Every structure is written in structure tokens, then in C-alpha cells.
Amino acid sequence: MANQRSGNHKIARPHSRKMQPLQHQGQLAVPDLGPVRVLVAGEVILDRYLHGDVSRISPEAPIPILRVNRREEKPGNAGFVMANLCALGAEVNAFSVVGEDRDGALLRDIFGGLGIGMRAMLTDPGRPTTVKARMLGSVQSANRGTQQLLRVDEEETAPVTPDFENDLIKHLKPELQQVDGVLISDINKGLLTTKLLRAIIEGARKKKIPVIVDPRLTEDFSIYRGATAITPNRFETETATGVKMIDRDAWRKAGDILIKQLDLDACLITLDREGMYLVERGAAPTYISTVPREVYDVTGAGDVVLSTFGLFTIAGIGFPTAARLANIAASIEVSRLGTDVISREDLSRAMKPVHQHSEHKIVSQEELQSALSRDRRAGKSIVFTNGCFDLIHAGHLQLLNFARSQGDKVVVGLNSDRSVRELKGADRPINPASERCRILAAMEMVDYVVVFDDSRAEKIIRVVRPDIIVKGDDYRGQIVDGQKFIESYGGRVALAPLLEGRSTSKTIKHLRRENGAG
């Protein structure tokens, strides 16, 4: 394998054969993984997001007043790496520390819900749980233009005490017996002392399991000597090697220096807008260009690279394929606001051929909730409309164009075949839900299509929680499904003008008359 060492450094893999990346219609696809057990070492933090509206300036000082309407709390740094690994299908154990406080207890609850092993996540009464609180405000009238107003950090960056350090090392040994590889996320907040780093790396080498490191910003990378691979960014690489990262020759020179000095198998240098550069021991380097996407927020991209590149390296697919998968995952991450886990499904969708992209819009209710959560964090307004959409006609197009004019993201709730029969009769639908979904997804004005099985739309509307429900003008004077629910939190119903004489039922009757059926 490309990422094995010679002699005493040779790394055992969790699988008896080298895994091959699957090919999806000529393109890279997500490999199927067996059980891959990963230990993640590093500082866990609690990311707290306070979302709200800003409509005025404080009379007490020239500062905006944030009226909070939503609060999010999720794991960051090494905790975010663990959450990503879980979403990619790994079995994860934590090697970290939290404070003896409410925030530490909250992190434990979150990790427990993800199924993360916490035998080696210790509590230190002498230091607080690290918390990064971000205040995010948007224009009140449209809930758009979201931006970060302030970040407040609560942390202790002094090294852990020698006694606590020794206690961590005692917990490390049994953890290394149970995993296939180790990821180290080092943000230099006092947990990963030189002694502890050496214990992790040397302990993993004795067990012949790989160690992949996302390093801290430092001039001395010798603390990572003997790791399998590291994933520094451009600035970290320049700082550690003294090489200005201006072109491919410089990238290769810096990678070669790190491999030689640190006895690595590989060095994956992340180059922001220029992509990634992989240097391997005894192999030609690999340049991976950036996947074109709109960059919204670079927060968490390095953690996503570590989790994706690390997992697939541990699984044994080889450094180049693991790096390409990490590059795709990072491109998805930077297109989202804040830290957001990248799942196997996210990767799979991103790697489908271009002609299949419209089918990405067809989502389950669970996938829809996740996608809309991201959209809301980005300040997008959500519009919902629903129907059978059996035989698409000009009236449908007018309704959907109207829905697009009302907000940023349009969700179409599509009645299932069973519910269409209940509403329209045993001879309907003409087209099955699978075809109706694909037709709607191919339309530019539609962002998501979700199938629901009830004859009424109330339940799916409660799942979507839209800002606006769009119905045809023939509902004027009526209470539509979900209206009272969305009005309870400030939403509204918008009625689209009708295109006279257009309906699926009329089209079917006309066709039957033409064919002599009625």
C-alpha cells in the first residue's frame, strides 16, 4: 500500500485487503467501509450560536442590538472531527478533556447521542470547558444578510498538570488496543503536551496503526515525528518549513522537507482556493484542484479534511483517493455557514455526474430538515407549496414561479401515489411519484422535492416550518393546511394568481374524449 512504511514502521490495516474506490459512472465515488474504529485526540470545544435580528442601535453605546430568536450548541474542533467521523460511518472514541461544568456535561450529552465512546474523555475540575459563542444577526425585515457580530471565547490555554497528563496516558493505552487508527486535532489549547503527543504517536506505532495529524501553528513540527501523515494548511507549512508556498515547486519542496524531517509517509498541504497538494514518500506528488463552489464560510474546513482524509486513510484506500474525497468534503463545508458535518450522503451527491444534479433535490423528510437548517443559518427564507403535480401544465409553472418570487428556497411537497388515489380516485395518479419527483426537481425554480403520504399537508408543513405557504388564488377566503401553525411564529400565506382553464383533471378529460373514452 502507498501509505505503509518499511521495517518496524509498517502499518497494519483494519482490513485484510486494500480497498478500492468505487467508480460511479466514470467518476470517484464513496467507498463502502467495514467497521472502522477511530480514536480522536484533541481539544473539544462547545460551539454556541445565537441567531437573531438586528433592527436598531443601542441607546447605551454605538452597538447593534441582537434580538435572539434561535440558539444552537454543537461540538467544535476535535468534537467536530468526531461528529464528522460518525456521519461518515466510523466508530469513534474520544481522547480529550472537559471541565466540571454545565458546558462539559452538555458536550457529553451530545457525544453520547452520537454514540461516541467517552472512556478516555476525562473531566478536569481545574479548567473550564472551552466555549466559543458567536452572535449572528440578520436584517429583521427579510431575515437575510446574516453576519457574525461578535465571538466570545471562554477557555484555559495553560498546559494540563503533570498529574492529569499522567492520568490521560494511563487511559490512552487501553484505547489504542481497540482502534484501527488515530486522528490528532491540535489547536494548542493546553491538552496536547509534547509528552502526551509522543505517547499517542509512539503508542500507535507499537500497535502498527496509522496516526494522522492536523497540526497547530508552530515553527517546530518535531512534536509530530513518526506520525503517518499530517494535514497542515498553507500558513502552517510556511511557518514550519520557512518555504514560501508560491507555486508547485515550493509545495513539493515543503512537503519533502516535512516527510524527511518527521519520518512521515505523506503530507497533505491544504492551499485554500488553490486546492491541495499531496506529497508521499517514494511516490509522485498529487495536485488536487479546488472543486468550484461558492465560498460562504471557511470555518471547520480543516477539521473536515482531517476527518475525511484520516478515515479513508485508516480504512486503507490510499492517500490520493483519501485526499480527493477530503477535497470534495471541504468544498461542501465552505459553501455552508458555520460548522456543519459532512455525511456519506453529502459526498455521494457531490460526486454524481452533472446530469444527475437535479435529482439531488429529491430528499427525505430527515434530509430536508438538515438542508433547511443550513439554509436558515445562511439567512435564507423558506417557501412551501404542495400538490399532486400529476400532469404538469402551465398553471403549475405559474404557481411555482410565483413561489420562487416569494423567497429564497422553494420546497415542493408532493402527494404520494396512495394519497393521490385517496384525493383523486382509483385511476390517479397518471404518473407515479418517482416520475413526478424527477420532473419537479428538473425545474429551476424548485430547490427541494419531498414526498408525503397524508391527504392533508399539515404534518409535512410542521416538518418544513416554512416562512411562507403558497397556494392558488382559488383558496381565497379559506384556511389552508398549516396556516394557523406558521402564523403562530410569524409566517404567512401567499395566494398565487390562477391561469384560467388549466388543471390536470381537465387535461385528462380532454385526452379521454379525444381517445373516445368518455
Side-chain angles (χ1 to χ4, degrees), residues 289-301:
S289 60
T290 304
V291 178
R293 286 181 186 270
E294 181 180 356
V295 176
Y296 197 93
D297 187 348
V298 298
T299 305

Side-chain angles (χ1 to χ4, degrees), residues 423-484:
L423 290 167
K424 303 292 185 180
D427 59 345
R428 299 281 299 276
I430 302 298
N431 292 317
S434 58
E435 291 187 19
R436 292 182 284 131
C437 279
R438 294 175 67 184
I439 292 168
L440 287 166
M443 295 182 182
E444 185 178 0
M445 67 285 268
V446 174
D447 294 292
Y448 305 106
V449 181
V450 60
V451 176
F452 65 99
D453 199 42
D454 300 295
S455 58
R456 304 290 296 273
E458 182 78 28
K459 288 183 181 178
I460 189 65
I461 287 169
R462 289 178 178 270
V463 170
V464 175
R465 291 184 63 86
D467 300 294
I468 301 163
I469 294 174
V470 168
K471 299 295 289 185
D473 196 55
D474 51 337
Y475 281 86
R476 187 171 298 278
Q478 301 179 45
I479 300 295
V480 306
D481 289 346
Q483 181 171 344
K484 292 182 179 179

Side-chain angles (χ1 to χ4, degrees), residues 196-207:
L196 198 54
L197 284 167
R198 297 315 314 154
I200 296 168
I201 294 170
E202 292 171 10
R205 286 176 63 169
K206 288 179 182 178
K207 300 298 178 186

Side-chain angles (χ1 to χ4, degrees), residues 90-340:
E91 298 176 12
V92 184
N93 290 337
F95 185 76
S96 191
V97 60
V98 293
E100 195 173 44
D101 49 33
R102 292 178 62 186
D103 294 321
L106 178 56
L107 274 174
R108 286 184 174 277
D109 286 344
I110 293 171
F111 292 144
L114 293 172
I116 294 171
M118 291 182 284
R119 294 177 302 271
M121 193 167 82
L122 307 187
T123 300
D124 185 350
R127 63 194 299 127
T129 301
T130 300
V131 179
K132 295 180 183 178
R134 297 169 176 86
M135 286 69 171
L136 300 163
S138 60
V139 178
Q140 186 182 35
S141 61
N143 192 32
R144 300 179 186 176
T146 300
Q147 68 180 50
Q148 189 172 152
L149 304 175
L150 180 68
R151 193 180 97 180
V152 179
D153 290 1
E154 300 174 71
E155 62 184 10
E156 172 58 69
T157 60
V160 294
T161 65
D163 286 344
F164 198 81
E165 185 180 59
N166 290 332
D167 196 15
L168 282 163
I169 291 173
K170 288 178 184 177
H171 282 77
L172 174 65
K173 293 178 180 178
E175 292 299 316
L176 292 176
Q177 299 279 0
Q178 302 179 48
V179 296
D180 302 310
V182 181
L183 303 187
I184 297 176
S185 173
D186 189 355
I187 58 171
N188 198 23
K189 297 294 184 182
L191 170 64
L192 294 174
T193 63
T194 300
K195 181 178 179 180
L196 198 54
L197 284 167
R198 297 315 314 154
I200 296 168
I201 294 170
E202 292 171 10
R205 286 176 63 169
K206 288 179 182 178
K207 300 298 178 186
K208 297 183 180 179
I209 58 176
V211 181
I212 295 88
V213 182
D214 184 5
R216 68 181 69 166
L217 178 62
T218 176
E219 295 180 356
D220 182 14
F221 273 6
S222 67
I223 52 178
Y224 308 120
R225 185 184 304 278
T228 307
I230 61 173
T231 62
N233 63 29
R234 183 196 300 268
F235 186 48
E236 290 163 347
T237 304
E238 288 183 348
T239 303
T241 64
V243 177
K244 282 292 182 183
M245 306 294 284
I246 56 175
D247 55 29
R248 294 196 190 192
D249 288 338
W251 304 342
R252 179 166 188 168
K253 180 180 179 181
D256 286 340
I257 288 172
L258 291 173
I259 284 177
K260 183 177 180 180
Q261 290 183 349
L262 305 181
D263 191 21
L264 305 171
D265 286 333
C267 176
L268 179 62
I269 304 170
T270 59
L271 298 161
D272 42 77
R273 65 184 179 278
E274 292 184 280
M276 298 180 177
Y277 197 76
L278 174 67
V279 182
E280 297 180 70
R281 178 189 296 272
T286 303
Y287 172 63
I288 306 164
S289 60
T290 304
V291 178
R293 286 181 186 270
E294 181 180 356
V295 176
Y296 197 93
D297 187 348
V298 298
T299 305
D303 296 326
V304 167
V305 170
L306 175 63
S307 55
T308 310
F309 178 70
L311 173 62
F312 291 110
T313 294
I314 291 168
I317 69 167
F319 291 128
T321 299
R324 290 187 177 95
L325 290 166
N327 187 50
I328 294 168
S331 76
I332 301 170
E333 182 65 22
V334 299
S335 69
R336 299 175 176 179
L337 180 65
T339 56
D340 203 14

